[in-house]
Amino acid sequence: MNTTSLAPLALAFAEALNTKNVDLFDTFVAPDYVNHNPFVAPGLTGVKAFFTGWLAAFPDTHVVVEDSLTSGDTLVGRFTYTATHTGPFLGIAATGNRIIMRSIDIWRVREGKFIEHWDELNLLEVFQQLGVIPPFA
């Protein structure tokens, strides 16, 4: 596979969230998708369920693709999310607080679809922005 053909997948991921259209995941996530994030259930249905919940809690989510890099069948994306917490999420009641979340996502791709995923998120800072963990002195 031509690795330059993988880069648009990072934009498709951001578009699904920016347009609040989780059905777009059907176009680039394989049904048997393996996600190594423990907060997301397996498969395409797990991804859609997670982001449906995310968008309910953070309805003004805006995602920017900062970088995308490809190597072989692997796509790495660096993203910045901005959003306001207006609904419950992961057991945290709505705070009304604005967050900035950064992520680095690594996907394996087969036949134009994500088949496996790993991510790293600045969740400590996110939880501090939500006020559920105090800032460090």
Side-chain angles (χ1 to χ4, degrees), residues 71-107:
S71 177
D73 68 349
T74 302
L75 169 66
V76 178
R78 186 172 63 88
F79 301 89
T80 300
Y81 296 63
T82 54
T84 309
H85 183 219
T86 60
F89 187 71
L90 297 177
I92 303 166
T95 63
N97 293 356
R98 191 100 174 119
I99 64 158
I100 297 173
M101 181 175 77
R102 294 178 309 279
S103 74
I104 298 172
D105 295 86
I106 302 169
W107 289 282

Side-chain angles (χ1 to χ4, degrees), residues 30-43:
D32 58 348
Y33 181 73
V34 175
N35 197 332
H36 296 282
N37 181 323
F39 295 105
V40 182

Side-chain angles (χ1 to χ4, degrees), residues 49-64:
F50 176 83
F51 282 113
T52 296
W54 172 273
L55 291 169
F58 300 94
D60 64 344
T61 293
H62 181 73
V63 179
V64 174

Side-chain angles (χ1 to χ4, degrees), residues 16-54:
L17 295 174
N18 289 336
T19 62
K20 315 328 178 219
N21 184 356
V22 296
D23 288 333
L24 288 178
F25 288 112
D26 294 336
T27 65
F28 61 89
V29 175
D32 58 348
Y33 181 73
V34 175
N35 197 332
H36 296 282
N37 181 323
F39 295 105
V40 182
L44 170 60
T45 56
V47 171
K48 291 173 72 172
F50 176 83
F51 282 113
T52 296
W54 172 273

